[in-house]
Amino acid sequence: MSGDLLKTDAIEEREYQKNIASIAKNRSTLVILPTGLGKTIIALMVMSHRLMHEREKKILFLAPTKPLVNQHSKDISNLIKDAEPEIFTGEVRPDQREKLWRDNNIIVSTPQVIRNDLMAKRIDLKDTSLIVFDEAHRAVGDYAYVFIGEAYERGGLTLGLTASPGSEKGDILSVCDTLGLEHIEIRTKYDPDVVKYTNHLEKKWIDVRLPQEQKRIVQKLKKIKKREVKKIQSFGFLEGKNANRLSRKDLIKARDQIQSELHSSNKSSLYRAASLIASSIKIDHAIDQAETQGPYGLREFIEKIKNEAESRGGSKASKRLMKCSEMSEVLAELKELDQEHPKVEKVKKIVTQQLEKKPDSRMIVFTNYRRTATKITEKLEEIDGARPTRFIGQADKEGDKGLKQKEQIKTIEDFESGDFNVLVATSVGEEGLDIPSTDMVIFYEPVPSEIRTIQRRGRTARRRKGKVVILITKDTRDEAYYWSSKRKEKKMHKNLMRLRDDLETEISVGDPMDVDKKGYKVVGKKSKKNLKKEQKKKDTREDKKQRALTDFDDNKDEAQKESGDEITVDTREQNSKVVLELAKKDIKINTSQLSIGDYVVSEDIAVERKEVSDFLQSLIDGRLFTQAKALSENYQNPIIILEGDGLYQKRNIRDNAIYGALASLATDFRIPVLFTKGEEETAAIIATMVKRDSKDKKRSLSVRKEKESMSMYDTRKFILEGLPSISGRLAERLLEHFGSVREVFMADEKELQEVKGIGPSTAEKIVSVISEDG
């Protein structure tokens, strides 16, 4: 089936894999298959087919993490003859990626890199015959899969792979729509053609009880939360809710509701309610730390709130919490408390017993927090025969240095070889890692997500029997999370069975010889004619959807493609929704580490984007006016966009101070401040600037309009105002300093910089305009 390219002697070809691949090689398919049952092999079968029949085209294999990208690249190299995949990650330079894309036909990449290259128009997908989306359930919201799925020309195939598509049928179908998947193949571990390949998985959960000292702390924190929630309810939000049963999700939903109402109302009560929600979310996180993680994590978090409350301009929420008598008592008790969470000792006991029983065991301990991973690793180092190591993400967090890509790969290799035998991992280790020798997975805490639960559990029992142990702190949210995940997983399985029944009763895909031109085989009551009508409607919707894509629509005419609209974006902004929206408007995104501004529209226009909280913080620490000075000195048309609500409520800053700052920006620095509600509105304004600037360049408009009957002084000033970045005030200073227009024109860059308000960039532009020909 897979031709001569797949090294069939190196794999165990299973019937269900061949059946699924025979469909997926002709139709864009979502494959839902339990962990450890060879989704990657199915992808390799489909890839081999595409390579044989469309050698001149590319295959793109996407995976969410760099360790997974490395793993897939190895599998492709080892199992497909003569395959030489190129790995794309952020560590490969953009110009190098552009060349590698042109020169290679198999690319394995993280999706963020491909999204960035598409936005910068370094690559396009028109010559791509297949895109594989590993962990396809991620194709929701702002995740990079969504952008790539919309940008991909539907002439090629897509293949989605997942073991955990989510509990809602609508979510599954939404992923299919986003990625252009027109067929779903579902297998469970109970199916006859699969069951013989599954391994026994023993599941066990262990009750853990909090010591009385820690229980007292939890009760005091809950008392604070109850009081904050009662105040929120007085404003008409969260009515009828029991404070002790309120989840983080409930609080965030209420926060979003308040923010939505703030858009249409300026009532001070809404800002008060928003501040109370903020403090409730903080205290809820503190309870989570106390119940599930332990005193050390809780102490660090409360100290963080205390430092914010004591800082100049600290949030009202933090200040209010630290004024609570219960919070002072909690801090005092934490300082005297020399205890760990009892889970830490339980993990040590479980690992010790497993190593005594099977000394060559490999174990993975999952936890949500890095500080907990550190504490567990230190505790496990006390065990004879245990060789633990942390496996965490790349980002540096609060003084904790992350693992770079090479370090992550080396850690996995060392774990596979036995140099380490216990991996203490955060969420980065949950998805897709294929380590067949893992005997046991320990959940330090349950997670409420059925997807994450399945992913964690799937790291064991892949090639042999395995064991999962879940630690649950009694009478805490651990219990709620455990049962929530079980309910969602049960619902997911039920919905998958219903979805499969729907597919089997409506349409079925058979051998290519048995299907009509649309690829459907009629089963049950629906006629071929009706199915064709439905497909026609679907095709029409798809066509409309394609025409609506403004980012990379190959149906546009060449004139539109070569519009030339582009913008330079600071690297710190490149993952924001603003940039994604700009790319969808067919604006080429160039990224650079900008020292001034966040978005450079042209040599004259730069935009500094500030969310309200950042604006207020920069006003407090003085950055605002330093940035404003740099903007006005280097750009003729500097702009500040102020994004979001709550300018006068979010920080303990007097209104008059904010009025003064806005007035100073407008009058002293000549910088207009534009207000937007959110990222989409910000993107719309910036896009309009780009389009207007592009049109102005094409029209070759006169730089300035003529003025009527001016005095000699006004004429001289008018001439100098025509120089780059020179305002009326700067023109006056130049005349005052040099005495005449001639002397200004004769000055070099150093002499020009002696005038207040003229920096190196402006001086360079002036000399360039005066001196250069053309």
Side-chain angles (χ1 to χ4, degrees), residues 35 156 269 326 340 342 539 621:
T35 55
S269 60
E326 294 92 347
E340 298 168 333
D539 291 344
D621 60 32

Side-chain angles (χ1 to χ4, degrees), residues 3-9 51 76-83:
D4 298 326
L5 292 183
L6 198 64
K7 298 177 183 177
T8 52
D9 57 331
L51 287 169
I76 293 167
S77 296
N78 293 335
L79 298 176
I80 296 180
K81 295 174 184 176
D82 302 321

Side-chain angles (χ1 to χ4, degrees), residues 464-476:
R464 59 193 189 201
K465 68 180 182 178
K467 185 175 182 179
V468 171
V469 179
I470 304 173
L471 303 181
I472 302 175
T473 313
K474 192 167 179 59
D475 299 324
T476 69

Side-chain angles (χ1 to χ4, degrees), residues 475-640:
D475 299 324
T476 69
R477 62 189 58 198
D478 270 356
E479 291 183 335
Y481 288 168
Y482 174 77
W483 292 111
S484 172
S485 174
K486 278 190 77 71
R487 281 194 301 272
K488 289 176 185 174
E489 191 174 345
K490 186 177 180 180
K491 183 179 179 182
M492 183 184 79
H493 181 75
K494 189 175 180 181
N495 282 337
L496 285 177
M497 294 303 95
R498 283 179 177 173
L499 182 59
R500 185 159 70 175
D501 289 344
D502 290 345
L503 292 170
E504 287 175 353
T505 56
E506 291 181 6
I507 56 173
S508 174
V509 179
D511 187 85
M513 295 298 293
D514 298 328
V515 300
D516 64 17
K517 292 180 181 179
K518 289 293 182 185
Y520 289 115
K521 178 180 177 183
V522 181
V523 178
K525 297 180 180 179
K526 290 195 177 184
S527 68
K528 186 179 290 189
K529 182 178 179 181
N530 287 336
L531 285 169
K532 284 188 175 183
K533 280 184 179 179
E534 289 178 13
Q535 181 63 24
K536 187 176 181 180
K537 287 179 182 177
K538 180 183 175 184
D539 291 344
T540 302
R541 289 195 301 270
E542 189 64 30
D543 289 341
K544 286 180 179 177
K545 180 180 175 183
Q546 286 301 302
R547 286 195 292 272
L549 289 173
T550 57
D551 43 350
F552 301 99
D553 188 347
D554 287 327
N555 291 326
K556 291 180 181 178
D557 60 44
E558 291 304 312
Q560 285 178 300
K561 279 186 178 179
E562 302 300 325
S563 64
D565 293 339
E566 58 183 283
I567 191 170
T568 300
V569 177
D570 185 64
T571 50
R572 289 164 293 187
E573 285 279 313
Q574 67 180 357
N575 291 323
S576 73
K577 191 173 181 180
V578 174
V579 176
L580 291 177
E581 291 298 318
L582 289 172
K584 288 180 181 180
K585 297 177 189 295
D586 200 31
I587 295 172
K588 179 181 177 183
I589 307 298
N590 302 311
T591 56
S592 180
Q593 195 165 343
L594 300 176
S595 58
I596 300 169
D598 295 317
Y599 298 84
V600 175
V601 177
S602 68
E603 63 180 19
D604 296 327
I605 305 172
V607 177
E608 177 75 22
R609 171 191 170 228
K610 285 190 175 296
E611 295 178 355
V612 164
S613 55
D614 181 43
F615 177 84
L616 295 173
Q617 184 59 43
S618 66
L619 178 57
I620 293 165
D621 60 32
R623 284 183 295 118
L624 178 63
F625 297 115
T626 302
Q627 291 171 329
K629 184 173 184 289
L631 277 168
S632 63
E633 287 182 353
N634 288 275
Y635 292 95
Q636 190 169 341
N637 299 310
I639 296 162
I640 289 177

Side-chain angles (χ1 to χ4, degrees), residues 98 169 199 221 224 459 558 616 634 668 705 748:
E98 188 172 3
K169 180 178 174 181
N199 296 296
L221 293 173
I224 299 171
R459 297 316 103 211
E558 291 304 312
L616 295 173
N634 288 275
D668 297 336
K705 292 181 180 178
D748 59 25

Side-chain angles (χ1 to χ4, degrees), residues 47 139 160 239 330 393 497 524 581 597 614 622 651 677 732 753 757 765:
M47 288 174 65
E239 289 181 307
V330 166
M497 294 303 95
E581 291 298 318
D614 181 43
R651 290 296 186 98
K677 292 178 181 178
E732 290 172 358
Q753 289 178 56
K765 288 178 185 177

